[in-house]
């Protein structure tokens, strides 16, 4: 017997062996066998935790809030709610913004949240809320709009506004 001689490999076999090698190296690097190596970047937090945020401005176009009929022959009306744009100057930890819109006479209490991970302008969107037209007994409704910074350690109102919601036909 002579020395070991590897078989002659064609381009397909070479590429297959290379692919298997890359997969094996990736599996070893991403396993618990190699500490301190991560192949993914940590993204922004997706759940609320401890923390706080400093807010310099909150903008909600309260003049645009109204109730209007649905389109395309739907048998419902919709409360059209604007976005809240919040200027965040500092974030520590993983607090969230809570944007809440309440119309007590219509039993509407709608909110949206957004976990904060960085400073700058951020937008929180509320979807429209359906209301049966027969529930609309008057032309205007009193509402309350609030925006809060909330975490396990903080719950602070940064915007609190009374609003009149007009019913349009």
């Amino acid at each position: 017997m002579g020395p070991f001689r590897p078989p002659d490999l064609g381009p397909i076999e070479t590429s297959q062996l290379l692919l298997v090698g890359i997969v094996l190296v990736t599996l070893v690097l991403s396993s618990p066998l190699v500490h301190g190596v991560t192949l993914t970047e940590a993204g922004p937090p997706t759940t609320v935790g401890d923390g706080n945020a400093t807010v310099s401005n909150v903008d909600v176009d309260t003049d645009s809030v109204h109730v209007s009929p649905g389109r395309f022959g739907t048998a419902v009306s919709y409360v059209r709610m604007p976005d809240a744009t919040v200027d965040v100057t500092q974030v520590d930890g993983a607090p969230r913004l809570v944007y809440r819109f309440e119309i007590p006479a219509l039993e509407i209490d709608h909110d949206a949240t957004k976990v904060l991970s960085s400073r700058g302008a951020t937008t929180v969107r509320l979807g429209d809320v359906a209301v049966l037209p027969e529930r609309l007994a008057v032309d205007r409704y009193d509402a309350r709009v609030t925006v809060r910074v909330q975490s396990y350690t903080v719950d602070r109102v940064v915007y609190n506004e009374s609003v009149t919601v007009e019913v349009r036909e």
Side-chain angles (χ1 to χ4, degrees):
M1 273 184 127
F4 174 75
R5 184 169 177 235
D8 291 330
L9 300 176
I12 293 177
E13 290 85 3
T14 303
S15 64
Q16 288 174 336
L17 279 175
L18 183 62
L19 178 64
V20 168
I22 290 171
V23 168
L24 287 174
V25 168
T26 303
L27 287 172
V28 169
L29 285 177
S30 64
S31 74
L33 296 175
V34 181
H35 296 287
V37 175
T38 179
L39 300 178
T40 60
E41 293 182 27
T46 56
T47 59
V48 69
D50 289 336
N52 197 357
T54 303
V55 172
S56 63
N57 186 48
V58 177
D59 183 33
V60 179
D61 183 10
T62 56
D63 293 334
S64 70
V65 180
H66 64 278
V67 178
S68 61
R71 298 183 201 150
F72 310 113
T74 59
V76 296
S77 294
Y78 289 92
V79 180
R80 311 290 183 181
M81 299 183 197
D83 297 341
T85 302
V86 181
D87 293 324
V88 180
T89 56
Q90 184 176 352
V91 176
D92 297 314
R96 69 179 179 173
L97 290 174
V98 180
Y99 174 29
R100 186 174 182 186
F101 199 97
E102 301 170 85
I103 307 175
L106 294 175
E107 298 177 358
I108 292 174
D109 187 350
H110 193 50
D111 66 22
T113 62
K114 186 170 192 175
V115 176
L116 296 173
S117 60
S118 62
R119 60 185 184 187
T122 188
T123 301
V124 185
R125 291 183 168 82
L126 279 178
D128 297 339
V129 175
V131 179
L132 293 173
E134 54 267 17
R135 293 193 61 213
L136 301 172
V138 295
D139 293 341
R140 288 179 166 68
Y141 291 92
D142 293 329
R144 166 114 2 237
V145 180
T146 56
V147 177
R148 297 182 352 244
V149 173
Q150 185 182 62
S151 72
Y152 292 134
T153 56
V154 172
D155 191 357
R156 184 177 66 256
V157 175
V158 294
Y159 183 87
N160 187 7
E161 189 78 27
S162 294
V163 178
T164 299
V165 179
E166 179 183 326
V167 177
R168 299 179 185 168
E169 295 189 27

